Amino acid sequence: MKAKQVSIVGLLVALLGLMPVTNVIAAELLPPQQAINVASMQLQERMQDKSFTTDFAKITEFVNKAIYPHTDFDRIAALVLGKLWKTATNDERERFKHEFQTLLVRTYSRAFVEFKDWSVRFLPLDMEGDATKVIVKTEVLQPGIQPIGVNYRMLLSNGEWKAYDIMIEGVSLVTNYRTTFTNEVQSKGSLNAVIDSLAKRNAEALAVRSKVRS
């Protein structure tokens, strides 16, 4: 599969296993895997409601609620901005985190609607009992194409396992977005300008989706 196809398709289906999980019993999963499985099962169950899948606003709201408890958006935002995070004001940090979370949620809400035939297979996880960081390895499956490797960097925080990066065929989501936003800051001249642009794109995308679904 070509790299571009992997990045596009993998990005759409990756975050916390948006598609149903195959050949797995929840009791057999270790805690980091269970965190991913919980969100996956919630989304799979909700997908059965055909009227729900035509309302993009409801989908976006539900996806956000399903993945938020299992995703460390604070850490993701800081890692994505990298050095820019250290020099950003508190207001810039909060605005960026909000808009970046909106970007991810609407991206995966689209996947929730468009990629219903996908499934996820968990690979064996070798984890020490006192581990606080692990990589949960999965494969995204679809008939007719090779499995796509999707791995989750997970951190144990306050007794809960949360994802803070996703690697699709070895390519890090955090690293990709860090490059994108670093280049945008250089191009636009400031982090504030980049956040304003991201907020505008988010608003426009959600408005178009709502109009299409209405």
Side-chain angles (χ1 to χ4, degrees), residues 11-12 17 69 73 80-81 94 123 174 177 185 188:
L11 180 62
L12 286 175
F73 283 109
V80 165
L81 284 187
E94 288 301 314
L123 301 183
V174 164
Y177 274 118
V185 169
K188 297 182 183 299

Side-chain angles (χ1 to χ4, degrees), residues 76-146:
I76 292 174
L79 290 174
V80 165
L81 284 187
K83 293 180 180 179
L84 294 169
W85 183 264
K86 297 179 180 179
T87 58
T89 66
N90 289 336
D91 180 65
E92 288 172 333
R93 290 178 178 181
E94 288 301 314
R95 290 181 62 221
F96 177 79
K97 186 180 73 172
H98 172 76
E99 295 302 338
F100 186 66
Q101 180 175 337
T102 300
L103 169 65
L104 290 181
V105 169
R106 69 177 175 82
T107 298
Y108 301 118
S109 295
R110 186 165 76 247
F112 179 71
V113 175
E114 297 177 358
F115 291 87
K116 298 178 183 179
D117 293 332
W118 290 80
S119 61
V120 174
R121 178 168 62 203
F122 285 95
L123 301 183
L125 175 61
D126 184 14
M127 188 180 86
E128 298 291 337
D130 59 350
T132 58
K133 282 187 177 182
V134 297
I135 296 178
V136 174
K137 297 181 179 181
T138 74
E139 291 180 336
V140 177
L141 310 175
Q142 187 186 42
I145 68 172
Q146 291 294 315

Side-chain angles (χ1 to χ4, degrees), residues 7-15 18-19 43 47 53 55-61 63-64 67 102-118 177 201-202 205-206 208-209 212-213:
S7 64
I8 293 174
V9 176
L11 180 62
L12 286 175
V13 300
L15 186 61
L18 282 184
M19 303 307 148
L43 293 166
M47 194 185 301
T53 59
D55 190 327
F56 192 72
K58 287 184 178 179
I59 293 171
T60 301
E61 180 181 3
V63 169
N64 188 44
I67 68 175
T102 300
L103 169 65
L104 290 181
V105 169
R106 69 177 175 82
T107 298
Y108 301 118
S109 295
R110 186 165 76 247
F112 179 71
V113 175
E114 297 177 358
F115 291 87
K116 298 178 183 179
D117 293 332
W118 290 80
Y177 274 118
R201 295 200 305 269
N202 280 336
L206 291 172
V208 168
R209 277 283 173 174
V212 169
R213 298 292 171 182

